[in-house]
Amino acid sequence: MIQRRCSFCDATESKENPLIAGNGVYICKNCVISAYKIMFGDEKQAASQSNNKELMDAVEKLMTPKELDTFLGEYIIGQERARKLVSVAVYNHYKRIFKNVPIEDDDTEIAKSNVLLIGPTGSGKTLMAQTIARVLNVPIAIADATSLTEAGYVGEDVENILTKLIQAADGDVERAQKGIIFLDEVDKVSRMSENRSITRDVSGEGVQQALLKIIEGSQVNIPPKGGRKHPNQEFTSIDTTNILFICGGAFDGLDEILKRKQGDNVLGFGHEKKTKDEAKPTYDMVEPEDLVHYGLIPELVGRLPIIASLNEITEDDMVRILTEPKNSLIKQYKKLFAIDDVELEFEEDALRAIAQKAIKRKTGARGLRAILEESMIDIMYELPEYSGYEILITKDVIENGAQPVYIKKTTQKTA
């Protein structure tokens, strides 16, 4: 009887090491196991190590709080306090995860510090999250709280936020577990009153209660492709302990709560009447109890220990927003006009007029583009005809819709 041998390792066939026969070749059990490890086991391990190395490299290159604040300042004008708080929170988040070297006989655990950004519309909350996403080489997901409802009702489940983070990490759960989630419009999930609702508040208090477990940190099972959970469905497990949550909201009406706290309606002698500017509360005065009065449940407020306030943008800041950031509106319009070989210039008074209009409309920096579009639409309609000209935008163009000053290379023409 001819004894068969493995074509790969030349091992002799035995009960412990049987051979699989092919077209004139044989492979033993040990070689099959080795081949499987080469094809799948070691490769997966290598991929996982590669992803972890990329994340560690990103952390090693992580900017210091001062460097992060400087970078934010290139895109966000003003709001120095909020920028500083966010920079420190992001830096501490990754220092806590990767650089927390245990000390002998010390079992102290550093808890994560989630952030709540409070400020009027157009003050830069969402822009801050988008700018942080630009500078960090870590997964970051930006979600909107307005579409969330309590589990079982029409709308998105709270767990779908985590699905977005996994998608941002290209499906790598390990990387996603060390990412950042920015939850915008969180004030829209405030409950209908400070007192607990008798009826179900499925898009308010119900959402807040569902957010508690994922913000604090727990093991959450989510559908790999999002959507509703179904019986017998495969789930992806993700640990939210090391995910930093940055929540933002305009909290419209919070100023009324702050006014009541200030006690404007004081009766009696010896009280000096405050001026309008002195009586106007600022978001710097916000305390956790004010947020509870507004409609956030105390458990959620307690899980957002860092409150960063963004105040209304002043006229001077509006002018700076128009001109200074890397992607400022004026720079965008100048580039747009330069494509048609037209040089665009703005007078200082024109910039001030745009800023005053935006403040009057109470739309914040977000409203600047709308004002510019209104003022420039007729000019851009005829723009190709003025190739080789310089167009000067005056205050009269912004306020009264007058024609700008058209200047040719050698002669001046006012249309």
Side-chain angles (χ1 to χ4, degrees), residues 166-382:
I166 292 176
Q167 290 168 351
D170 297 324
D172 188 343
V173 176
E174 190 69 29
R175 286 190 77 230
Q177 287 178 160
K178 298 174 179 65
I180 298 174
I181 289 177
F182 178 77
L183 187 59
D184 206 359
E185 308 292 352
V186 75
D187 56 314
K188 306 304 186 292
V189 297
S190 61
R191 60 191 183 191
M192 291 178 285
S193 67
E194 188 182 341
N195 299 319
R196 187 172 291 278
S197 176
I198 298 171
T199 57
R200 293 187 75 82
D201 187 7
V202 298
S203 61
E205 187 176 342
V207 173
Q208 292 187 56
Q209 290 168 352
L211 282 169
L212 294 179
K213 64 173 184 177
I214 70 168
I215 287 183
E216 184 173 23
S218 63
Q219 203 77 27
V220 183
N221 292 325
I222 59 172
K225 294 182 181 178
R228 296 290 178 196
K229 290 182 178 179
H230 300 289
N232 304 320
Q233 183 184 19
E234 288 186 6
F235 293 108
T236 300
S237 182
I238 181 170
D239 185 3
T240 65
T241 305
N242 290 326
I243 296 175
L244 179 68
F245 283 81
I246 302 176
C247 301
F251 288 86
D252 189 31
L254 186 62
D255 53 343
E256 296 299 323
I257 294 171
L258 297 175
K259 279 181 184 177
R260 288 200 297 271
K261 189 172 73 171
Q262 272 184 304
D264 287 342
N265 299 324
V266 179
L267 298 177
F269 298 101
H271 291 285
E272 292 183 9
K273 188 174 177 63
K274 296 178 181 178
T275 65
K276 189 176 180 181
D277 289 335
E278 288 174 337
K280 189 176 182 181
T282 63
Y283 285 93
D284 293 329
M285 301 165 58
V286 175
E287 294 178 355
E289 63 210 39
D290 302 321
L291 300 173
V292 175
H293 291 319
Y294 187 85
L296 295 187
I297 60 176
E299 300 93 323
L300 183 61
V301 175
R303 286 165 173 81
L304 299 167
I306 299 176
I307 301 175
S309 57
L310 291 86
N311 290 311
E312 284 187 22
I313 301 170
T314 63
E315 184 181 315
D316 289 337
D317 285 339
M318 284 282 191
V319 174
R320 291 178 62 201
I321 288 168
L322 281 168
T323 56
E324 289 185 17
K326 282 189 174 181
N327 58 343
S328 70
L329 283 173
I330 299 300
K331 289 176 184 176
Q332 291 179 38
Y333 274 94
K334 283 187 175 185
K335 188 172 183 179
L336 201 62
F337 275 56
I339 294 171
D340 282 319
D341 192 26
V342 177
E343 188 179 338
L344 178 66
E345 293 296 335
F346 284 80
E347 286 185 347
E348 178 69 22
D349 288 344
L351 296 174
R352 296 244 164 230
I354 295 168
Q356 288 162 7
K357 267 194 174 184
I359 291 171
K360 191 175 180 181
R361 293 184 183 182
K362 296 184 177 178
T363 51
R366 192 178 284 111
L368 292 172
R369 180 176 286 277
I371 296 166
L372 273 167
E373 286 289 341
E374 287 172 16
S375 305
M376 307 285 284
I377 190 69
D378 292 331
I379 301 166
M380 290 190 289
Y381 180 74
E382 299 177 345

Side-chain angles (χ1 to χ4, degrees), residues 47-152:
S48 176
Q49 289 173 350
S50 174
N51 286 335
N52 285 333
K53 187 177 182 301
E54 285 179 15
L55 194 58
M56 287 297 290
D57 288 344
V59 173
E60 288 298 325
K61 296 173 186 174
L62 184 66
M63 295 180 177
T64 64
K66 282 187 178 180
E67 291 170 339
L68 278 169
D69 182 34
T70 302
F71 183 84
L72 287 173
E74 292 179 359
Y75 295 88
I76 300 164
I77 300 299
Q79 314 299 4
E80 287 82 5
R81 180 67 179 167
R83 284 183 357 223
K84 186 181 290 186
L85 283 168
V86 170
S87 300
V88 170
V90 169
Y91 178 75
N92 282 347
H93 177 61
Y94 289 104
K95 183 171 67 173
R96 162 184 168 267
I97 296 172
F98 295 105
K99 299 183 180 180
N100 183 20
V101 180
I103 303 170
E104 210 174 312
D105 300 327
D106 183 13
D107 56 355
T108 304
E109 291 184 12
I110 304 173
K112 66 175 175 178
S113 297
N114 300 307
V115 183
L116 176 62
L117 299 177
I118 300 176
T121 181
S123 56
K125 300 182 297 294
T126 309
L127 179 61
M128 198 170 290
Q130 292 169 340
T131 309
I132 284 287
R134 188 180 292 125
V135 69
L136 293 178
N137 188 25
V138 295
I140 181 166
I142 299 177
D144 199 321
T146 52
S147 60
L148 301 176
T149 56
E150 192 176 344

Side-chain angles (χ1 to χ4, degrees), residues 7-19:
S7 303
F8 292 87
C9 67
D10 203 34
T12 307
E13 184 178 22
S14 64
K15 286 183 180 180
E16 292 78 20
N17 190 22
L19 298 183

Side-chain angles (χ1 to χ4, degrees), residues 158-174:
V158 170
E159 284 87 356
N160 286 356
I161 299 170
L162 300 174
T163 305
K164 289 183 179 179
L165 186 61
I166 292 176
Q167 290 168 351
D170 297 324
D172 188 343
V173 176
E174 190 69 29

